[in-house]
Amino acid sequence: CGGNRVPHIHPVRTLQAWLQLPPQDAGPRMLLSLREGAMPLRQRVETALPASATFLSGPEGGLSTPEENAALACGFTAVTLGPRILRAETAALAALTTLLV
């Protein structure tokens, strides 16, 4: 996500298909979540901005608890953008903006 690189956006997939994808690199895998205990994204990256990162963002209304648990079991870390609930089409863009600002 650093420099002038344009982020790679994967096509829409089912959650099951997404979780079966191998990690693309050594960057952090982050689940955008409002669950209790989710770390603020800014805090997660404040010590070292990753060269790359993978975000998993759910549909309108968010992922269900079992879906989030499946993502966590596959190595994702729950992060939050704050207390407000964003629309599905803007949540991932807000996460990218947080990394680039």
Side-chain angles (χ1 to χ4, degrees):
C1 284
N4 293 329
R5 282 185 35 199
V6 175
H8 178 77
I9 308 296
H10 288 276
V12 175
R13 295 186 167 100
T14 65
L15 180 61
Q16 185 68 14
W18 178 257
L19 293 178
Q20 290 176 358
L21 289 175
Q24 298 297 309
D25 52 53
R29 300 176 83 193
M30 295 176 274
L31 164 67
L32 298 179
S33 174
L34 290 172
R35 77 186 297 143
E36 184 78 24
M39 178 183 291
L41 177 57
R42 285 194 188 274
Q43 181 182 340
R44 171 69 172 84
V45 298
E46 73 183 352
T47 56
L49 186 62
S52 64
T54 299
F55 285 104
L56 174 57
S57 181
E60 289 295 323
L63 297 171
S64 68
T65 299
E67 290 170 330
E68 285 199 2
N69 290 339
L72 295 173
C74 288
F76 283 82
T77 301
V79 296
T80 182
L81 297 171
R84 291 186 178 82
I85 298 173
L86 301 176
R87 294 186 59 87
E89 62 268 15
T90 58
L93 295 173
L96 287 173
T97 301
T98 300
L99 290 183
L100 298 174
V101 174

